[in-house]
Amino acid sequence: MLDVPIIDAHVHLYDPGRIRYRWMRGTRLDSPHLLAEFDGSRGGVEVAGLVWIEAGADPGQHEQEASLVAGLAAADPRIMGMVAAAPLEHGDGVKADLEKLAALPLVKGVRRLLQGEADHEFCLRPGFVEGLKLLPGFGLSFDLCVYHHQLYNVVELVRRCPDVRFILDHIGKPAIREGRLDPWRTDIERLAALPNVWCKLSGVVTEADHAAWTREQLRPYIRHVVEQFGFDRLLFGSDWPVSKLTHRYADWVEIVAWALADCSAAERRKLFRDNAIAFYHLDDAS
């Protein structure tokens, strides 16, 4: 399917029997999803490496979650980088958390989920901004996970934190289910104009109608982020195992390849492999 082995920039590995995840109780995701399950879902797609992304553990469990995955990585070098959770809204008080996370060599970034915050200006609260500004001192980036209606304030957040390296998860979760491009399209343009922001081509099918999506519906959204971020700031991610709710692993690989059939071999390599290495500094993992 591809002429380059993938480095998947967005994979969740977790075990609810060891770390608590209140949000997934009663869902189809409430079971261990580790590397054996991941390999069983790839459908023959060659994945040379992956970046683990925190999975929304219950409060107070983020350090244990990161330690668990660091142990998995010690046994399987395909886990090349980690993005751990941290309560950045604690401002300067989050330093101790960041010190512990940064002591794990594979931790390359932090994610504090914003998508569930009812206050659209949560990301602009002084405490959160203060905590976020600590990340460069630890060599850590920040994964932005927000819905389309939160992007307007995210642009302002990024402007206030020019020294922080940001990456937008799931192309900002546009309203694909409703077939709306705007104002997501305009906000993506504003965000992509800021040089310290990259974007993940991930989690797109999840925002469409789970029972009736088509690849034609997805194509305008995929093309727009490519046009805005270019092939130098765009990463491929599967969002596995959340992706299992709507499609197979190989389906997403095929859709991206189809939507970008006119790209060059060099651009394809950047998207599916090289940019993950560059953004998350995977080449200096130890």
Side-chain angles (χ1 to χ4, degrees):
M1 185 181 298
L2 290 175
D3 52 5
V4 57
I6 292 170
I7 294 180
D8 189 332
H10 204 99
V11 175
H12 304 288
L13 302 172
Y14 58 84
D15 183 351
R18 300 177 64 180
I19 305 294
R20 296 188 302 275
Y21 298 92
R22 189 180 302 113
W23 70 266
M24 68 174 66
R25 291 175 188 165
T27 73
R28 290 164 53 195
L29 299 172
D30 190 12
S31 62
H33 283 81
L34 301 171
L35 282 168
E37 289 77 15
F38 177 74
D39 287 334
S41 296
R42 288 188 289 110
V45 176
E46 184 180 359
V47 179
L50 60 90
V51 178
W52 169 78
I53 308 297
E54 64 89 22
D58 286 4
Q61 293 267 286
H62 57 283
E63 291 174 13
Q64 295 94 317
E65 183 189 41
S67 295
L68 170 63
V69 176
L72 299 177
D76 195 320
R78 288 180 298 170
I79 303 175
M80 301 175 70
M82 298 168 54
V83 175
L88 295 180
E89 65 272 27
H90 293 172
D92 191 66
V94 79
K95 272 186 179 177
D97 299 77
L98 298 179
E99 288 170 355
K100 293 176 183 177
L101 292 174
L104 298 173
L106 291 186
V107 173
K108 304 297 182 180
V110 163
R111 186 169 83 160
R112 197 295 192 183
L113 279 171
L114 298 172
Q115 64 180 18
E117 296 296 336
D119 178 5
H120 295 178
E121 295 188 356
F122 179 91
C123 67
L124 299 179
R125 292 181 181 180
F128 183 81
V129 174
E130 181 184 22
L132 193 58
K133 287 183 175 181
L134 296 174
L135 295 183
F138 292 93
L140 300 172
S141 61
F142 185 73
D143 266 56
L144 287 159
C145 190
V146 297
Y147 285 107
H148 57 93
H149 55 264
Q150 297 169 302
L151 284 173
Y152 183 86
N153 287 314
V154 164
V155 173
E156 176 58 27
L157 171 68
V158 173
R159 287 174 175 161
R160 294 184 187 183
C161 303
D163 296 327
V164 177
R165 292 182 304 113
F166 292 92
I167 188 160
L168 180 66
D169 294 346
H170 314 324
I171 70 169
K173 296 197 167 189
I176 302 174
R177 191 174 293 106
E178 293 79 24
R180 285 191 285 115
L181 278 163
D182 295 314
W184 169 84
R185 179 163 47 188
T186 300
D187 287 332
I188 287 293
E189 291 173 7
R190 296 168 61 234
L191 194 59
L194 302 171
N196 56 325
V197 187
W198 296 41
C199 181
K200 285 187 196 177
L201 198 48
S202 62
V204 179
V205 183
T206 305
E207 302 311 309
D209 186 319
H210 288 193
W213 64 270
T214 67
R215 65 182 189 174
E216 287 75 16
Q217 290 174 313
L218 309 179
R219 190 175 188 276
Y221 300 91
I222 295 172
R223 296 295 302 190
H224 185 62
V225 292
V226 172
E227 290 164 3
Q228 296 305 312
F229 286 95
F231 282 99
D232 289 333
R233 289 190 290 151
L234 197 64
L235 285 63
F236 171 86
S238 67
D239 196 26
W240 187 90
V242 178
S243 58
K244 295 200 315 179
L245 300 177
T246 54
H247 60 283
R248 299 174 303 169
Y249 192 99
D251 292 337
W252 180 232
V253 176
E254 189 278 330
I255 289 167
V256 174
W258 164 79
L260 303 177
D262 57 345
C263 74
S264 68
E267 290 169 334
R268 193 158 48 246
R269 183 178 179 88
K270 286 181 179 181
L271 172 65
F272 282 100
R273 180 181 178 86
D274 293 351
N275 289 348
I277 296 172
F279 182 81
Y280 285 116
H281 297 163
L282 303 183
D283 49 355
D284 62 10
S286 59

